[in-house]
Amino acid sequence: MLEIKNLTVNIPALPEPILAIPHLSVATAQQVAVMGPSGCGKSTFLNIISGVLQPSTGSVKWQQQELTALSATACDTWRFQHIGMVMQDFYLTNGLSALENVLLPLAFRHWRISDALKQRAESLLEQLDMPRLHSDVAKLSRGEMQRVAIARALLAKPNVIIADEPTASLDAENSRNIARLLLEISEKERCTLVVATHDHFLSEQLQRRLLLRNGIIVSDQQTGAQIC
Ligand SMILES: Nc1ncnc2c1ncn2[C@@H]1O[C@H](COP(=O)(O)OP(=O)(O)OP(=O)(O)O)[C@@H](O)[C@H]1O
């Protein structure tokens, strides 16, 4: 469960906070869309709940872990253990294949990657319709790179998936596949899903929709969506 209290994010040059949330809670395994016009604070919200950014005031708690109490290094370790992130910049490593990129974060932590993990990586890439496992990511299209970034985020079975516009570079068919895969994995593995998106197909499948304007949640709707 995520619980936010009395949160503000201020930027020195700006008179108003770019994000202000008096209270918000998100239940474990809930699927949440974060929507709103460009500049309303969606990426800031995702960065705050993943501990990438520290708020100016307030509390951000996942289960019993208060993120604002962690040092930057401790927060990085916590994020690695609990969160699968798909950000707008994919942070892939050129010169490595799609499969190697998916395995790379775990390769830093384990002296040997197990066969089971390799199989999961291959299976995720296949489910994402990304057959070019051994192609250098530098040669992939943006949509293919996005699918590699999604597989990498899902590999370690995170408790929470946070995705910033995960279908933005994709055609309609691939967008739908990715929306379905994120929903299926969230349901099967009981992980919380928080997605900033303009994609109506994706947002309609999620159980809850937060609408941000000027850094404030102006609408919080339960959609009643079921897994597809
Ligand atoms: N470091 C910063 N310095 C100044 N302004 C910032 C900074 N970070 C964010 N902002 C401002 O805060 C607001 C929210 O930005 P944010 O990136 O969270 O919006 P967004 O909803 O994700 O936008 P988009 O849909 O275009 O990605 C914007 O007006 C942005 O210009």
Side-chain angles (χ1 to χ4, degrees), residues 2 4 7 9 18-19 21 24 26 32-35 40-54 60 62 67 75 78-79 83-88 160-166 193-197 210 212:
L2 167 69
I4 293 178
L7 179 124
V9 179
I18 60 171
L19 192 65
I21 302 179
L24 178 73
V26 174
V32 184
V34 183
M35 305 191 76
C40 68
K42 300 181 295 295
S43 300
T44 306
F45 176 77
L46 298 188
N47 285 332
I48 286 286
I49 65 171
S50 56
V52 170
L53 189 65
Q54 286 286 349
V60 181
W62 280 102
L67 295 194
C75 206
W78 173 87
R79 186 181 319 113
I83 307 241
M85 294 188 69
V86 185
M87 302 317 277
Q88 285 187 5
V160 181
I161 299 169
I162 293 178
D164 200 354
E165 297 285 356
L193 182 59
V194 184
V195 185
T197 186
L210 301 177
L212 279 170

Side-chain angles (χ1 to χ4, degrees), residues 173-223:
E173 192 187 338
N174 276 309
S175 294
R176 279 165 194 238
N177 285 344
I178 281 185
R180 285 198 189 98
L181 184 74
L182 287 172
L183 288 160
E184 275 170 26
I185 288 195
S186 144
E187 170 132 303
K188 198 165 95 193
E189 298 178 2
R190 272 195 62 72
C191 65
T192 310
L193 182 59
V194 184
V195 185
T197 186
H198 294 283
D199 179 337
H200 285 281
F201 175 80
L202 176 54
S203 72
E204 279 162 13
Q205 315 292 318
L206 301 175
Q207 297 161 343
R208 184 174 175 187
R209 204 173 304 145
L210 301 177
L211 181 64
L212 279 170
R213 266 190 220 292
N214 299 322
I216 292 167
I217 297 174
V218 292
S219 156
D220 179 357
Q221 289 179 319
Q222 306 285 334
T223 63

